[in-house]
Amino acid sequence: MQDILDQLGIRQSNGGTATGQKWIGSKGKVIASFSPVDGKKIAEVVGTDEAAYDQVIKKASEAFLEWRLWPSPKRGDVVRQFAEALRKYKEPLGKLVSYEMGKSLQEGLGEVQEMIDICDFAVGLSRQLHGLTMHSERPGHRMYEQWHPLGIVGIISAFNFPVAVWSWNTALAWVCGDVCVWKPSEKTPLCAIACQNIIADVFAANGVPEGVCGLVIGEREIGERLAADTRVPLVSATGSTRMGKAVGAAVGARLGRSLLELGGNNAIIISKDADLEMALVGCVFGAVGTAGQRCTSTRRLIIHEDVYDAFRDKLVNAYKQLRIGDPLDEANHVGPLIDKGAVAMYSAAIEKCKSEGGQFVVEGGVLEGKGYESGCYVKPCIAEVQPHYEIVCHETFAPILYLMKYKMLEEAIAIQNGVPQGLSSSIMTLNLREAETFLSSAGSDCGIANVNIGTSGAEIGGAFGGEKETGGGRESGSDAWRIYMRRQTNTINYSTKLPLAQGIKFDL
Ligand code: UN1
């Protein structure tokens, strides 16, 4: 791992505060990053104190005054070069993601690929930040709207996608002419430092004003500072619903803008008309991939009574094949949870499920012994439950899958929608009527609704996010860029008179 750290410019002790190309001194709390893979300390990071935070915001404000004047395609060209640098660093960065966060190497590399893809998307977008024109009701008048940069975008990201979610925000924000200040999860600070090192070289080579890409590392108080800071017009936060409610309230109290991408409690409906073999792959990957730590992870299966027993047996068999262990070893399917706190939450959820009457058909448990010394490896498990159980309506970031039975599609959709969260959802069916009903206004209430694929692994080209307690925000593709800009309506009078709208006469 040392060669990887060297390639990415990570030392034993690192500064955690940057204004872009430069690191700045800080006397914040020292955060040690431990790998959940083997429990070893990887390196330390000095957190951002209040003065350093202020310096980053000040630099970002100054940089914005210049950056907003760059033509957007020119900003796009810098993002294009960032994508090139990411292609070069894909292997080491993917490995670091895997080692610091614990996801499989395949998924670590996939996460860096997602960064490259969003950069490519943003490059094209840099020539398409278009507004509408409309017809004025007055003669000799033209009316149109344009989109201007917003200012500083505060980005609060979670440990589970330690680099990709940042890039969804920054790549778009940068082409839109905004400057960014990133508060990564304190559980994965080294991934953020690696990204900062990669972008710093690209920015320096292009004469990008210092401050366009700020980094502040620390615990909750840094997020609170960003949320309350009137110099930050947009705060984009990914993480738990609890965190999102606090950020949303603080940003709302100052009438700022927030983009929230919070918890999911994603279900797949397995119809009696499903291709069960295909469904199996989607369900198992959705439930155990990233050890159940994606906001899009599959947590609930709602299975038609005619195929319930057969599909449950297939799942139980498939779970027997799962290999749990070092995620950097490609033979393994499931890596560790992020830390022992997550393991405690996993164990508590299993106990709660049992106390509510859940029957485990694949038992859970914390793994011990050789290869599991970090104490973060757990067994993916499956329980038969009733949809209304409290624990089933709650998002536990772990590989626990709940099974429930249905008779009629309407009932399945009601169960699917009957939780506080609304991120991702799927139906497995070869029946066109069922598929279209699921996608109709009487169907899934989630931000993402799929047919014959699982709930996780969304492509960057679509808008990503969800409803209800998921927070309502949309990041990534489609027209998600609009939230990073301010809209301005312009009316231009090129006539020789000044007629008032609505036919009002005001003669002097
Ligand atoms: C997240 O877990 O916060 O759709 C993001 C997916 C990934 C992104 C997940 N592309 O599973």
Side-chain angles (χ1 to χ4, degrees):
M1 198 39 66
Q2 192 53 49
D3 56 324
I4 304 283
L5 299 179
D6 291 344
Q7 280 180 62
L8 296 169
I10 293 167
R11 294 183 293 256
Q12 265 320 296
S13 175
N14 302 275
T17 311
T19 53
Q21 292 87 310
K22 287 203 191 109
W23 292 94
I24 59 171
S26 168
K27 292 196 169 61
K29 185 175 153 194
V30 174
I31 297 169
S33 176
F34 291 91
S35 169
V37 174
D38 53 17
K40 291 192 180 130
K41 183 160 99 176
I42 317 172
E44 286 182 348
V45 176
V46 182
T48 306
D49 61 19
E50 205 170 338
Y53 170 87
D54 264 333
Q55 225 176 310
V56 172
I57 298 287
K58 201 163 156 279
K59 265 281 172 231
S61 307
E62 285 164 18
F64 176 62
L65 300 181
E66 197 186 324
W67 183 239
R68 65 182 179 175
L69 302 177
W70 282 41
S72 177
K74 204 172 156 219
R75 295 191 293 252
D77 190 50
V78 177
V79 173
R80 182 187 63 74
Q81 294 172 53
F82 180 39
E84 286 304 305
L86 287 169
R87 284 180 170 90
K88 199 169 118 207
Y89 286 102
K90 183 172 173 183
E91 190 79 23
L93 187 57
K95 277 193 180 148
L96 178 64
V97 167
S98 175
Y99 188 58
E100 191 179 33
M101 183 274 161
K103 63 174 68 177
S104 76
L105 178 57
Q106 283 288 321
E107 292 182 56
L109 294 170
E111 189 173 340
V112 182
Q113 186 58 47
E114 208 164 309
M115 300 175 81
I116 295 168
D117 294 341
I118 195 72
C119 287
D120 287 354
F121 178 90
V123 177
L125 185 67
S126 70
R127 292 182 186 269
Q128 299 179 71
L129 303 170
H130 48 249
L132 299 170
T133 64
M134 46 292 277
H135 287 260
S136 168
E137 65 187 55
R138 288 168 282 188
H141 282 58
R142 187 165 72 82
M143 196 156 67
Y144 78 115
E145 62 186 24
Q146 53 177 338
W147 294 84
H148 289 307
L150 199 59
I152 303 177
V153 178
I155 301 166
I156 299 172
S157 65
F159 75 86
N160 66 332
F161 273 79
V163 293
V165 172
W166 166 72
S167 71
W168 294 353
N169 285 278
T170 46
L172 298 198
W174 284 333
V175 297
C176 289
D178 297 328
V179 299
C180 299
V181 174
W182 181 18
K183 183 227 169 290
S185 165
E186 66 277 16
K187 296 177 182 178
T188 50
L190 303 177
C191 286
I193 289 172
C195 289
Q196 189 74 28
N197 285 336
I198 296 169
I199 193 74
D201 287 348
V202 177
F203 276 15
N206 284 277
V208 172
E210 197 206 320
V212 170
C213 176
L215 178 68
V216 287
I217 294 183
E219 290 169 354
R220 202 185 164 140
E221 75 286 351
I222 304 268
E224 286 168 354
R225 229 173 255 155
L226 273 173
D229 197 329
T230 51
R231 296 168 294 182
V232 182
L234 170 64
V235 178
S236 171
T238 307
S240 67
T241 295
R242 192 178 49 80
M243 176 279 295
K245 281 183 178 167
V247 169
V251 176
R254 61 176 171 91
L255 298 183
R257 219 185 260 185
S258 55
L259 192 176
L260 302 174
E261 197 258 283
L262 313 173
N265 191 349
N266 317 298
I268 302 181
I269 296 173
I270 312 285
S271 146
K272 65 177 176 351
D273 294 327
D275 174 333
L276 294 186
E277 287 308 318
M278 202 170 81
L280 187 66
V281 178
C283 293
V284 177
F285 177 73
V288 312
T290 331
Q293 298 172 105
R294 289 192 191 210
C295 56
T296 51
S297 290
T298 307
R299 313 223 174 269
R300 300 177 295 145
L301 295 185
I302 306 160
I303 309 170
H304 192 274
E305 59 179 6
D306 289 0
V307 292
Y308 184 90
D309 288 351
F311 196 66
R312 180 199 51 209
D313 295 348
K314 276 182 192 294
L315 281 168
V316 171
N317 272 329
Y319 269 51
K320 285 187 189 140
Q321 325 292 320
L322 291 176
R323 281 186 300 271
I324 308 161
D326 182 350
L328 287 151
D329 177 346
E330 290 186 47
N332 291 325
H333 301 103
V334 186
L337 292 179
I338 184 69
D339 56 20
K340 287 190 181 148
V343 173
M345 283 196 259
Y346 157 89
S347 302
I350 291 175
E351 284 317 308
K352 170 92 176 141
C353 183
K354 285 184 175 161
S355 74
E356 287 189 86
Q359 299 290 326
F360 278 78
V361 292
V362 175
E363 286 290 339
V366 181
L367 293 161
E368 285 168 6
K370 197 166 159 30
Y372 302 133
E373 290 85 355
S374 70
C376 298
Y377 291 86
V378 300
K379 287 193 213 156
C381 55
I382 305 179
E384 299 186 294
V385 300
Q386 294 300 321
H388 62 267
Y389 288 179
E390 213 177 289
I391 194 67
V392 173
C393 299
H394 174 86
E395 179 192 45
T396 305
F397 238 45
I400 305 173
L401 183 61
Y402 301 118
L403 308 187
M404 43 211 113
K405 220 181 252 183
Y406 79 93
K407 269 193 184 45
M408 305 296 291
L409 182 63
E410 291 64 29
E411 180 195 352
I413 292 172
I415 296 172
Q416 130 75 36
N417 292 345
V419 292
Q421 310 82 354
L423 179 55
S424 187
S425 59
S426 304
I427 187 167
M428 298 286 181
T429 183
L430 301 177
N431 178 325
L432 180 74
R433 285 188 181 139
E434 286 190 338
E436 291 292 338
T437 302
F438 179 72
L439 301 177
S440 75
S441 55
S444 163
D445 64 0
C446 291
I448 298 171
N450 297 329
V451 176
N452 291 331
I453 63 166
T455 57
S456 68
E459 298 179 20
I460 60 97
F464 183 89
E467 305 301 334
K468 303 192 293 189
E469 281 196 358
T470 303
R474 293 295 186 279
E475 297 174 304
S476 183
S478 185
D479 62 355
W481 61 269
R482 288 166 189 252
I483 195 156
Y484 301 92
M485 303 199 87
R486 63 183 169 86
R487 184 199 304 243
Q488 186 175 67
T489 304
N490 307 116
T491 310
I492 300 147
N493 176 5
Y494 60 93
S495 74
T496 53
K497 304 212 164 54
L498 201 146
L500 299 176
Q502 295 92 40
I504 292 171
K505 294 264 175 289
F506 189 74
D507 294 327
L508 291 174

